[in-house]
Amino acid sequence: MFALMETARLESLHFAVDPLTGLQAIIAIHNSRLGPALGGCRYLPYADTRSAIDDVLRLAKGMSYKAALAGLQQGGGKAVIIRPAHVENRGALFEAFGRFIETLNGHYITAMDSGTSSVDMDCIAQHTQHVTSTTAEGDPSPHTAMGVFAGIRATALARLGSDNLEGLRVAIQGLGNVGYALAEQLHAAGAELLVSDLDHNRVQRAVVQLGARPVANEALLAIPCDILAPCGLGGVLSATTVSQLRCSAVAGAANNQLASADISDNLQARGILYAPDYVINAGGLIYVALKHRGKSLVAITAHLTQISRRLTEIFGHAQADKRSPARVADAIAERLLYG
Ligand code: NAD
């Protein structure tokens, strides 16, 4: 276990069980150099404890990098609750998790993530103040979309020489909470939209409301366009899919878009500019972190401009050093986290 933690450069790992509610939870604090660790809580059925530990380690590290590049005084952490096959009282389980968080004295702040809702966060909030994205705080997705929109402009400027999106062809994979809000902003800015989603109703809505052109799911990645915006699941950029891309740049909301780190070099070799996912999709994190600190919506919106500034800085270094933007972003994050 210690070797695993050292490899991940993890600060601490915390476990809790509560037989009364069925809680089995793990909290990973990756790096708190810049502030208390903040990161979502997943509630998923894991095959075994090792898979849950692997997941929480990987995700906690990602949060440190994301918070550092977003200019937040926040460290990176993550929690997983192993979802039992049957749970008697979900509210009681999340309350028990709230008591667990409270024992860490503010070193970890939790938030909504896969499998959890703002109602679960409300249960946690009954026992600790170290929780964000409660029902009172609202959905961070619109802020993620605003950040991605600003990031697309920065990407267009760097790759195509202008941040005017009028007439730009943007292909969006996934029209969920973030993807649809992004599509609305792009439409308002005059972009031409090509869209796909596993849910046909979401595609239809974009066709009717935004004049988007529907594309079959399996064809979207290879569609000719200026910017490809992956806003569905992670892992969409593999050696195979990158060889099929016909876009100038990739800039979207999905987490962990690169199937592996070296795929960023494939994109670079093909002349496709890649906006590192954890930089461009940091709007939601900025929202929950600053909201938790009591900042106003005006201050939060102003902080979102960090995203395009940071991307422009990364693209500049990448061009000068002939390196992929993903590798430049990692290097900047590591400098901020480890000095
Ligand atoms: P969501 O679940 O609301 O929407 C995802 C959409 O993508 C769904 O409509 C789904 O049907 C579609 N989809 C999934 N796989 C697809 C495929 N192969 N082809 C076409 N469509 C597909 O999720 P969301 O909250 O909009 O988040 C989207 C992505 O952005 C996720 O990767 C998420 O981790 C990431 N992200 C979200 C936030 C946020 O604030 N919600 C913040 C940072 C990152």
Side-chain angles (χ1 to χ4, degrees), residues 66 140-141 144 173-179 196-199 202 217 231-234 253-255 281 284:
K66 189 185 283 205
S141 305
T144 304
Q173 183 189 52
L175 294 168
N177 291 323
V178 179
S196 81
D197 196 291
L198 302 178
D199 180 342
R202 293 183 175 178
N217 288 319
C231 296
L233 292 182
N255 275 316
N281 73 13

Side-chain angles (χ1 to χ4, degrees), residues 42 66 112-114 139-145 148 172-181 195-200 202-203 215-218 220-221 230-236 252-257 277-278 280-285 288:
R42 289 197 159 182
K66 189 185 283 205
M112 213 168 95
D113 208 301
S114 301
D139 181 7
S141 305
H143 301 272
T144 304
V148 175
I172 305 177
Q173 183 189 52
L175 294 168
N177 291 323
V178 179
Y180 200 86
V195 299
S196 81
D197 196 291
L198 302 178
D199 180 342
H200 182 67
R202 293 183 175 178
V203 173
V215 179
N217 288 319
E218 58 283 4
L220 188 101
L221 293 177
C231 296
L233 292 182
V236 286
N255 275 316
N256 306 315
Q257 290 170 33
D277 47 15
Y278 66 84
I280 193 170
N281 73 13
L285 174 66
V288 295

Side-chain angles (χ1 to χ4, degrees), residues 315-323:
F315 292 147
H317 286 305
Q319 193 180 21
D321 303 348
K322 298 196 169 31
R323 277 193 303 160

